[in-house]
Amino acid sequence: MPDGAPRNWRLWISQSRLVLIGLIIAGQLASKGRSLESAGDRLFWDAIVVWLLWAGLEWLAARSHWRMPLPVSLEPLRHRYIEGGGLLCDAALLTGVVYATGGPNSLNVGWYALLVIASALVFSRRGVFYLAGGLLAALALVVALVFTHQLPPIWQEPISARVALLALVLEGLALLATAYLTGLMSARLRETGAALRQQSAILATLRALNSNIMRSITGGVISTDLDGRVYFANPAAEQILRHPITAGCDIRELLGPDIPSMPGLRQELTLPEAGGNRLLGLKMDTLREGGTTIGHVYSFQDLTVLRRQELEARARERMQALGRMAAGLAHEIRNPLASLSGAVQLLARFAPLDEEERQLAGIVLRESERLNRIVTEFLHFAREPEIRRCRLDLRQSLTEVLQLAAHRPGMSMRIETELGPQPIWVDADEDRLRQVFWNLCDNAAKAVSGLPSGQGRLRIEAQPSAAGVRLEFRDNGCGLRPEQMERIFEPFHSEFSGGVGLGLATAYVMIEAHGGKIWAEAAPGGGAALVLQLPLAPAAAGTAEA
């Protein structure tokens, strides 16, 4: 109910009762003043005082929400019993006032109709007729008792029996008509109220269902008005965008200025953030009501992981194809290369060569050895790695590799670690894993080689969880461009001078053979991060989950 309205029907009836008594008093004062000369006047004021006391107490009880104790069996009918008893008291006191002010000819007889109307709020349609009949019977009883001299005739204007009977008939017709119309309207009001409550319950159920559906959707959904102001966002939208969404904010502040402007058009959005960009698949649809566009609905999904998996799948396919091709090509290169190297060695041993010719022969031999070494490394890369698993502490193996890398000649890069105090148990090939760690450290050293001595930094963090251990090698070197991130694990793809381009490709193959994953991320503030994830040993996985 709006502010200032009655809190309940009981309070409303109590206030109406006080108003009725005030109107009766006002009518009495207007016609006779405060006269107490006749017995009727004295009876009137006695009845009014009793009625005022009763009405005041009932109003205070309704105002303070006091409840009369009732048996448990009658508790569901509390409203009918309490208010019905109050209306019966009103009927008795009003009948006393009518008797004191003229009986059937009293102007206060008309207030019977108000009691009948008020009873529709408490009783059923049949109960309203019962009250109307009871009021008429009470009035008829008073008239009968007066004419049979059982009650003193205190009316100042005597009336004949015929006039009294006519007045009773007219009052009875008026009360019955009022009861009929009031009962009919009350029944229809109850039916309308029941239908409204049913529709409200259905609406509440639909709202709860819609809310549950929106909470269950894994994709983000944001609704806006025509100006782009947000008025609804499901929880998935906040999770994908990684910050709370407040009603009234601009959709462009959330998704950027490049949102689609045509309904049904799908597009991809790139959201920059620390640790690399995130890719969203976005679609905009219109909200309509009665054929009129009233707003827009934006649905989107986080495609970052999916796109990374697509890139990994394409890289895996390319590397498998390269591996098959390289295996045959390497054999074809090694055979003539060995012949060439042997021929040059024989030529240098038996043929007289001058100084320049000996230098050229040396160059040929060194380049042949370098080419043979590259071919050998590539054969190792192309061949399916043989993994000899054993249970080992990843922290210990990584620490030993870092100690060797830190004391490597020419190493000026500072190495920082955050590996945690507990062992990280994995089932892995220790030699292969050490090779991966060494290749990643070597790649970071090359990435920071352009910085002043002592400014290069490599930070390694381990984060074990139920899904496995996440190991991050993050440097502050030259960083990665988007096109580099897609090809960084391809063989013979190197951005560093003197690099063959097999270190990261080999690391990729080794991690994949262990059932893990490896990928590249842009580091905030410059640099790059190579992240690998390995499954924990079964017992260690249970410990991490606990």
mmCIF file of all heavy atoms in Angstrom, residues 105-131:
data_model
loop_
_atom_site.group_PDB
_atom_site.id
_atom_site.type_symbol
_atom_site.label_atom_id
_atom_site.label_comp_id
_atom_site.label_asym_id
_atom_site.label_seq_id
_atom_site.Cartn_x
_atom_site.Cartn_y
_atom_site.Cartn_z
ATOM 1 N N ASN A 105 -38.158 6.212 12.909
ATOM 2 C CA ASN A 105 -38.096 7.541 12.299
ATOM 3 C C ASN A 105 -36.762 8.243 12.523
ATOM 4 O O ASN A 105 -36.578 9.377 12.084
ATOM 5 C CB ASN A 105 -39.214 8.421 12.861
ATOM 6 C CG ASN A 105 -40.559 8.052 12.255
ATOM 7 O OD1 ASN A 105 -40.609 7.425 11.201
ATOM 8 N ND2 ASN A 105 -41.640 8.437 12.919
ATOM 9 N N SER A 106 -35.807 7.567 13.227
ATOM 10 C CA SER A 106 -34.519 8.203 13.516
ATOM 11 C C SER A 106 -33.681 8.356 12.243
ATOM 12 O O SER A 106 -33.669 7.472 11.371
ATOM 13 C CB SER A 106 -33.753 7.367 14.549
ATOM 14 O OG SER A 106 -32.448 7.881 14.721
ATOM 15 N N LEU A 107 -33.001 9.492 12.141
ATOM 16 C CA LEU A 107 -32.094 9.696 11.009
ATOM 17 C C LEU A 107 -30.895 8.751 11.045
ATOM 18 O O LEU A 107 -30.240 8.521 10.027
ATOM 19 C CB LEU A 107 -31.605 11.150 10.985
ATOM 20 C CG LEU A 107 -32.698 12.218 10.757
ATOM 21 C CD1 LEU A 107 -32.071 13.607 10.851
ATOM 22 C CD2 LEU A 107 -33.381 12.006 9.419
ATOM 23 N N ASN A 108 -30.589 8.206 12.233
ATOM 24 C CA ASN A 108 -29.431 7.320 12.367
ATOM 25 C C ASN A 108 -29.683 5.919 11.820
ATOM 26 O O ASN A 108 -28.774 5.100 11.774
ATOM 27 C CB ASN A 108 -29.024 7.221 13.839
ATOM 28 C CG ASN A 108 -28.489 8.541 14.361
ATOM 29 O OD1 ASN A 108 -27.651 9.182 13.722
ATOM 30 N ND2 ASN A 108 -28.989 8.986 15.520
ATOM 31 N N VAL A 109 -30.955 5.638 11.421
ATOM 32 C CA VAL A 109 -31.240 4.327 10.812
ATOM 33 C C VAL A 109 -30.414 4.133 9.533
ATOM 34 O O VAL A 109 -30.023 3.024 9.179
ATOM 35 C CB VAL A 109 -32.759 4.201 10.536
ATOM 36 C CG1 VAL A 109 -33.064 2.949 9.722
ATOM 37 C CG2 VAL A 109 -33.532 4.159 11.839
ATOM 38 N N GLY A 110 -30.157 5.237 8.843
ATOM 39 C CA GLY A 110 -29.389 5.145 7.597
ATOM 40 C C GLY A 110 -27.982 4.603 7.768
ATOM 41 O O GLY A 110 -27.370 4.093 6.809
ATOM 42 N N TRP A 111 -27.442 4.719 9.005
ATOM 43 C CA TRP A 111 -26.076 4.211 9.213
ATOM 44 C C TRP A 111 -26.031 2.683 9.222
ATOM 45 O O TRP A 111 -24.950 2.107 9.144
ATOM 46 C CB TRP A 111 -25.518 4.744 10.537
ATOM 47 C CG TRP A 111 -25.390 6.242 10.573
ATOM 48 C CD1 TRP A 111 -26.009 7.090 11.443
ATOM 49 C CD2 TRP A 111 -24.597 7.058 9.716
ATOM 50 N NE1 TRP A 111 -25.666 8.392 11.198
ATOM 51 C CE2 TRP A 111 -24.782 8.408 10.128
ATOM 52 C CE3 TRP A 111 -23.758 6.819 8.634
ATOM 53 C CZ2 TRP A 111 -24.167 9.487 9.499
ATOM 54 C CZ3 TRP A 111 -23.129 7.891 8.004
ATOM 55 C CH2 TRP A 111 -23.343 9.198 8.426
ATOM 56 N N TYR A 112 -27.188 2.023 9.301
ATOM 57 C CA TYR A 112 -27.191 0.564 9.169
ATOM 58 C C TYR A 112 -26.566 0.126 7.843
ATOM 59 O O TYR A 112 -25.893 -0.896 7.747
ATOM 60 C CB TYR A 112 -28.624 0.030 9.254
ATOM 61 C CG TYR A 112 -29.147 -0.120 10.666
ATOM 62 C CD1 TYR A 112 -30.482 0.171 10.963
ATOM 63 C CD2 TYR A 112 -28.334 -0.588 11.680
ATOM 64 C CE1 TYR A 112 -30.986 0.025 12.249
ATOM 65 C CE2 TYR A 112 -28.818 -0.724 12.970
ATOM 66 C CZ TYR A 112 -30.137 -0.423 13.256
ATOM 67 O OH TYR A 112 -30.607 -0.573 14.527
ATOM 68 N N ALA A 113 -26.854 0.916 6.792
ATOM 69 C CA ALA A 113 -26.314 0.568 5.464
ATOM 70 C C ALA A 113 -24.778 0.572 5.467
ATOM 71 O O ALA A 113 -24.130 -0.253 4.806
ATOM 72 C CB ALA A 113 -26.855 1.537 4.423
ATOM 73 N N LEU A 114 -24.175 1.506 6.237
ATOM 74 C CA LEU A 114 -22.706 1.554 6.307
ATOM 75 C C LEU A 114 -22.152 0.301 6.970
ATOM 76 O O LEU A 114 -21.111 -0.224 6.560
ATOM 77 C CB LEU A 114 -22.271 2.812 7.064
ATOM 78 C CG LEU A 114 -20.761 3.065 7.115
ATOM 79 C CD1 LEU A 114 -20.192 3.209 5.712
ATOM 80 C CD2 LEU A 114 -20.450 4.302 7.937
ATOM 81 N N LEU A 115 -22.850 -0.200 8.000
ATOM 82 C CA LEU A 115 -22.395 -1.446 8.636
ATOM 83 C C LEU A 115 -22.482 -2.616 7.671
ATOM 84 O O LEU A 115 -21.620 -3.499 7.651
ATOM 85 C CB LEU A 115 -23.239 -1.731 9.884
ATOM 86 C CG LEU A 115 -23.038 -0.811 11.079
ATOM 87 C CD1 LEU A 115 -23.903 -1.282 12.248
ATOM 88 C CD2 LEU A 115 -21.581 -0.758 11.499
ATOM 89 N N VAL A 116 -23.545 -2.642 6.874
ATOM 90 C CA VAL A 116 -23.681 -3.715 5.882
ATOM 91 C C VAL A 116 -22.533 -3.657 4.868
ATOM 92 O O VAL A 116 -21.958 -4.682 4.489
ATOM 93 C CB VAL A 116 -25.051 -3.610 5.178
ATOM 94 C CG1 VAL A 116 -25.136 -4.611 4.020
ATOM 95 C CG2 VAL A 116 -26.177 -3.863 6.178
ATOM 96 N N ILE A 117 -22.201 -2.460 4.411
ATOM 97 C CA ILE A 117 -21.089 -2.309 3.446
ATOM 98 C C ILE A 117 -19.769 -2.754 4.077
ATOM 99 O O ILE A 117 -18.969 -3.465 3.467
ATOM 100 C CB ILE A 117 -21.006 -0.855 2.960
ATOM 101 C CG1 ILE A 117 -22.263 -0.505 2.157
ATOM 102 C CG2 ILE A 117 -19.758 -0.632 2.118
ATOM 103 C CD1 ILE A 117 -22.361 0.963 1.771
ATOM 104 N N ALA A 118 -19.532 -2.346 5.333
ATOM 105 C CA ALA A 118 -18.289 -2.730 6.000
ATOM 106 C C ALA A 118 -18.207 -4.236 6.227
ATOM 107 O O ALA A 118 -17.120 -4.829 6.222
ATOM 108 C CB ALA A 118 -18.157 -1.986 7.333
ATOM 109 N N SER A 119 -19.376 -4.884 6.411
ATOM 110 C CA SER A 119 -19.360 -6.331 6.670
ATOM 111 C C SER A 119 -18.872 -7.114 5.459
ATOM 112 O O SER A 119 -18.415 -8.254 5.591
ATOM 113 C CB SER A 119 -20.759 -6.797 7.062
ATOM 114 O OG SER A 119 -21.663 -6.681 5.972
ATOM 115 N N ALA A 120 -18.966 -6.521 4.256
ATOM 116 C CA ALA A 120 -18.485 -7.221 3.061
ATOM 117 C C ALA A 120 -16.982 -7.437 3.085
ATOM 118 O O ALA A 120 -16.455 -8.303 2.383
ATOM 119 C CB ALA A 120 -18.874 -6.432 1.811
ATOM 120 N N LEU A 121 -16.268 -6.633 3.896
ATOM 121 C CA LEU A 121 -14.822 -6.815 4.019
ATOM 122 C C LEU A 121 -14.470 -7.989 4.923
ATOM 123 O O LEU A 121 -13.328 -8.431 4.934
ATOM 124 C CB LEU A 121 -14.182 -5.541 4.581
ATOM 125 C CG LEU A 121 -14.424 -4.251 3.787
ATOM 126 C CD1 LEU A 121 -13.821 -3.066 4.524
ATOM 127 C CD2 LEU A 121 -13.859 -4.376 2.387
ATOM 128 N N VAL A 122 -15.464 -8.459 5.708
ATOM 129 C CA VAL A 122 -15.200 -9.495 6.698
ATOM 130 C C VAL A 122 -15.921 -10.789 6.353
ATOM 131 O O VAL A 122 -15.334 -11.873 6.370
ATOM 132 C CB VAL A 122 -15.614 -9.010 8.100
ATOM 133 C CG1 VAL A 122 -15.358 -10.087 9.143
ATOM 134 C CG2 VAL A 122 -14.898 -7.716 8.450
ATOM 135 N N PHE A 123 -17.213 -10.689 6.038
ATOM 136 C CA PHE A 123 -18.044 -11.868 5.842
ATOM 137 C C PHE A 123 -18.118 -12.243 4.364
ATOM 138 O O PHE A 123 -17.787 -11.454 3.475
ATOM 139 C CB PHE A 123 -19.459 -11.637 6.388
ATOM 140 C CG PHE A 123 -19.490 -11.306 7.855
ATOM 141 C CD1 PHE A 123 -20.194 -10.201 8.324
ATOM 142 C CD2 PHE A 123 -18.817 -12.096 8.771
ATOM 143 C CE1 PHE A 123 -20.240 -9.906 9.671
ATOM 144 C CE2 PHE A 123 -18.851 -11.800 10.114
ATOM 145 C CZ PHE A 123 -19.547 -10.711 10.576
ATOM 146 N N SER A 124 -18.644 -13.439 4.155
ATOM 147 C CA SER A 124 -18.963 -13.870 2.801
ATOM 148 C C SER A 124 -20.260 -13.197 2.357
ATOM 149 O O SER A 124 -20.887 -12.431 3.104
ATOM 150 C CB SER A 124 -19.111 -15.393 2.760
ATOM 151 O OG SER A 124 -20.196 -15.808 3.583
ATOM 152 N N ARG A 125 -20.677 -13.513 1.125
ATOM 153 C CA ARG A 125 -21.898 -12.890 0.615
ATOM 154 C C ARG A 125 -23.109 -13.286 1.461
ATOM 155 O O ARG A 125 -23.983 -12.458 1.749
ATOM 156 C CB ARG A 125 -22.100 -13.325 -0.838
ATOM 157 C CG ARG A 125 -23.196 -12.571 -1.559
ATOM 158 C CD ARG A 125 -23.234 -12.972 -3.011
ATOM 159 N NE ARG A 125 -24.251 -12.227 -3.747
ATOM 160 C CZ ARG A 125 -24.516 -12.417 -5.042
ATOM 161 N NH1 ARG A 125 -23.835 -13.323 -5.720
ATOM 162 N NH2 ARG A 125 -25.438 -11.701 -5.627
ATOM 163 N N ARG A 126 -23.145 -14.540 1.891
ATOM 164 C CA ARG A 126 -24.235 -14.987 2.757
ATOM 165 C C ARG A 126 -24.168 -14.293 4.107
ATOM 166 O O ARG A 126 -25.206 -13.911 4.674
ATOM 167 C CB ARG A 126 -24.153 -16.503 2.935
ATOM 168 C CG ARG A 126 -25.266 -17.085 3.811
ATOM 169 C CD ARG A 126 -25.128 -18.595 3.915
ATOM 170 N NE ARG A 126 -25.221 -19.217 2.590
ATOM 171 C CZ ARG A 126 -25.074 -20.541 2.390
ATOM 172 N NH1 ARG A 126 -24.805 -21.340 3.420
ATOM 173 N NH2 ARG A 126 -25.189 -21.046 1.180
ATOM 174 N N GLY A 127 -22.960 -14.109 4.645
ATOM 175 C CA GLY A 127 -22.805 -13.432 5.923
ATOM 176 C C GLY A 127 -23.295 -12.000 5.885
ATOM 177 O O GLY A 127 -23.835 -11.477 6.876
ATOM 178 N N VAL A 128 -23.123 -11.327 4.734
ATOM 179 C CA VAL A 128 -23.614 -9.949 4.590
ATOM 180 C C VAL A 128 -25.136 -9.931 4.705
ATOM 181 O O VAL A 128 -25.728 -9.053 5.366
ATOM 182 C CB VAL A 128 -23.145 -9.359 3.249
ATOM 183 C CG1 VAL A 128 -23.776 -7.976 3.021
ATOM 184 C CG2 VAL A 128 -21.622 -9.241 3.216
ATOM 185 N N PHE A 129 -25.816 -10.892 4.062
ATOM 186 C CA PHE A 129 -27.283 -10.963 4.160
ATOM 187 C C PHE A 129 -27.718 -11.265 5.595
ATOM 188 O O PHE A 129 -28.725 -10.726 6.075
ATOM 189 C CB PHE A 129 -27.816 -12.034 3.212
ATOM 190 C CG PHE A 129 -28.034 -11.542 1.810
ATOM 191 C CD1 PHE A 129 -27.109 -11.786 0.801
ATOM 192 C CD2 PHE A 129 -29.171 -10.811 1.496
ATOM 193 C CE1 PHE A 129 -27.313 -11.329 -0.483
ATOM 194 C CE2 PHE A 129 -29.390 -10.352 0.198
ATOM 195 C CZ PHE A 129 -28.454 -10.610 -0.789
ATOM 196 N N TYR A 130 -26.942 -12.149 6.263
ATOM 197 C CA TYR A 130 -27.287 -12.458 7.657
ATOM 198 C C TYR A 130 -27.211 -11.202 8.523
ATOM 199 O O TYR A 130 -28.073 -10.955 9.375
ATOM 200 C CB TYR A 130 -26.354 -13.521 8.209
ATOM 201 C CG TYR A 130 -26.635 -14.914 7.693
ATOM 202 C CD1 TYR A 130 -25.672 -15.912 7.771
ATOM 203 C CD2 TYR A 130 -27.871 -15.231 7.136
ATOM 204 C CE1 TYR A 130 -25.927 -17.185 7.302
ATOM 205 C CE2 TYR A 130 -28.126 -16.503 6.669
ATOM 206 C CZ TYR A 130 -27.154 -17.486 6.745
ATOM 207 O OH TYR A 130 -27.428 -18.733 6.288
ATOM 208 N N LEU A 131 -26.158 -10.371 8.320
ATOM 209 C CA LEU A 131 -26.034 -9.155 9.124
ATOM 210 C C LEU A 131 -27.157 -8.176 8.806
ATOM 211 O O LEU A 131 -27.734 -7.549 9.716
ATOM 212 C CB LEU A 131 -24.680 -8.494 8.870
ATOM 213 C CG LEU A 131 -24.450 -7.199 9.658
ATOM 214 C CD1 LEU A 131 -24.416 -7.471 11.161
ATOM 215 C CD2 LEU A 131 -23.168 -6.501 9.210
#
